[in-house]
Amino acid sequence: MPMSDRVLVTGGAGFIGSNVADRLLHAGHSVVVFDNFDPYYDPAQKRRNVGRALESPSYRLIEGDVRDRASLASAFESAAPDVVVHLAARAGVRASVEDPLSYLEVNELGGLFVLEESRIRGGLPIVYASTSSVYGGGSVPPFREDDPATTPLSPYAASKRSAELMVHAYHHLHRIPVAVARFFTVYGPRGRPDMAMYSFTRDILAGRPIRLHGETTERDFTYVDDIVDGVLGAMDWVKRTRGHDTFNLGRSEPVRVRRLIELLSRELGVEAKVVMGELGASEVVRTAANVEKAHSAFGYRPRVSLEEGVRRWVEWSRTSPAA
Ligand code: NAD
């Protein structure tokens, strides 16, 4: 890897994207973020995410929408990236049931436009964000990348799987180097307000009961720094090999959601109230990552235990105006 890359990060004002951008800056790279400050959750939180980075001379923010080909093309033109980290998306499983069209447009069409920009520029390497949600009803945990993943349970999962298939076609036809990274339930500083870690924290602090969707539900909670490590590892891999492959990025230590509530409650020093609800039809009972492939390709090794991660999360949420 050269001393310094120019990296275009789509969705770089969001939770994972802003953590990726900060780490890239810290490692001496220059970063251009492309983000439309989508109102899926409060855009003010995203403004705060980018606040510090904007002070760096190696950082630039371009506001634009991946569905708008012209604005995406001009961002690629002016960023002239060596590599792209494509994170811009509509995320959130349950919300996709209500608004499938946005998921199709942003995740599939927007994703196609990113591939097109890479093709036009001779095959810019891409790290392409996908999700553990592609392992749907028919997949048996711990999930491996060679699972056919043909049974998505939500429009979100279907849109991401479909985007992965388009990536395959583009690599096959145009030799575009792409590392597809399937993230598993990411949490940590700047976390998304619609995700469990965030909403449980708010409920516990407000003395509101937490609705637990299924007593046996398990998630492979993964601390955001471990995801950022994986994204940077995948970036090196895709530049080095100019290949195409798919990698799970997760902690590989699924825990019951019930256990997460206990840890959060202990760390916050407030007792949690829980009411039982049903697991929604769009959600799987258990997620668990097999990460051997990412380990052998680029040495991926998640480091942050759930106990440590919850401690760091609570510390951050105490100082964050949004939490
Ligand atoms: P996020 O919503 O915080 O970040 C997504 C960013 O993309 C936001 O800043 C948003 O403004 C931007 N965006 C949305 N629509 C856009 C558009 N049309 N044009 C340009 N920018 C747009 O979510 P996140 O959790 O940081 O997720 C980042 C990526 O990781 C997504 O691709 C998501 O599907 C994937 N992912 C996340 C998780 C998780 O647990 N957080 C798990 C699996 C996969």
Side-chain angles (χ1 to χ4, degrees), residues 14-15 18-19 22 41 44-46 48-49 52 187-193 197-198 201-202 205 223-224 267-268 308-323:
F15 164 37
S18 64
N19 279 289
D22 285 1
Y41 63 90
Q45 182 169 336
K46 300 174 192 179
R48 283 193 294 277
N49 293 346
R52 176 92 58 82
Y187 71 98
R190 303 175 181 166
R192 280 200 345 252
M197 192 72 65
Y198 206 117
T201 302
R202 271 187 321 232
L205 289 175
Y223 192 69
V224 66
E267 203 54 44
L268 290 162
E308 173 61 16
V310 165
R311 202 187 54 70
R312 293 191 204 173
W313 155 256
V314 166
E315 192 179 295
W316 178 84
S317 66
R318 288 194 198 283
T319 56
S320 159

Side-chain angles (χ1 to χ4, degrees), residues 27-286:
H29 301 292
S30 59
V31 175
V32 177
V33 157
F34 183 82
D35 200 297
N36 73 339
F37 291 82
D38 177 272
Y40 171 58
Y41 63 90
D42 187 0
Q45 182 169 336
K46 300 174 192 179
R47 299 274 167 206
R48 283 193 294 277
N49 293 346
V50 301
R52 176 92 58 82
L54 278 168
E55 292 167 14
S56 165
S58 305
Y59 181 90
R60 198 148 57 89
L61 171 65
I62 300 175
E63 293 193 33
D65 194 314
V66 289
R67 290 168 290 190
D68 175 356
R69 256 195 107 155
S71 105
L72 189 65
S74 93
F76 268 80
E77 194 62 38
S78 83
D82 301 307
V83 56
V84 179
V85 179
H86 176 50
L87 300 166
R90 283 297 306 272
V93 170
R94 267 175 261 162
S96 76
V97 180
E98 305 303 320
D99 182 16
L101 186 60
S102 296
Y103 284 73
L104 187 152
E105 287 178 350
V106 177
N107 300 356
E108 298 185 46
L109 193 61
L112 171 65
F113 290 164
V114 169
L115 293 172
E116 271 291 292
E117 290 307 320
S118 164
R119 180 187 67 76
I120 291 163
R121 288 165 175 76
L124 288 173
I126 306 174
V127 178
Y128 199 104
S130 187
T131 170
S132 58
S133 297
V134 300
Y135 301 108
S139 302
V140 181
F143 302 136
R144 288 168 46 101
E145 295 87 344
D146 55 8
D147 185 297
T150 49
T151 53
L153 299 184
S154 66
Y156 170 61
S159 71
K160 285 285 186 176
R161 186 71 181 111
S162 164
E164 289 186 350
L165 298 176
M166 189 62 86
V167 164
H168 183 277
Y170 264 64
H171 179 76
H172 169 72
L173 291 171
H174 310 298
R175 311 316 300 170
I176 293 176
V178 189
V180 172
R182 292 176 175 165
F183 306 152
F184 282 65
T185 320
V186 191
Y187 71 98
R190 303 175 181 166
R192 280 200 345 252
D194 60 319
M195 293 190 69
M197 192 72 65
Y198 206 117
S199 68
F200 290 177
T201 302
R202 271 187 321 232
D203 287 344
I204 293 173
L205 289 175
R208 272 194 304 266
I210 292 171
R211 181 163 291 277
L212 180 59
H213 299 281
E215 185 62 59
T216 58
T217 310
E218 286 185 22
R219 289 290 175 269
D220 201 349
F221 294 103
T222 309
Y223 192 69
V224 66
D225 288 3
D226 285 334
I227 292 296
V228 174
D229 282 350
V231 168
L232 267 65
M235 205 174 103
D236 285 348
W237 178 88
V238 75
K239 284 170 46 202
R240 187 176 74 243
T241 62
R242 295 191 63 81
H244 164 240
D245 215 332
T246 302
F247 302 101
N248 289 338
L249 296 179
R251 166 90 187 139
S252 274
E253 209 176 274
V255 298
R256 287 212 171 172
V257 177
R258 174 71 87 173
R259 166 87 183 128
L260 168 68
I261 296 172
E262 281 165 21
L263 286 173
L264 265 175
S265 155
R266 197 175 70 196
E267 203 54 44
L268 290 162
V270 181
E271 201 175 327
K273 298 178 195 136
V274 175
V275 291
M276 286 312 300
E278 290 295 308
L279 188 70
S282 60
E283 296 196 79
V284 296
V285 178
R286 182 168 187 253

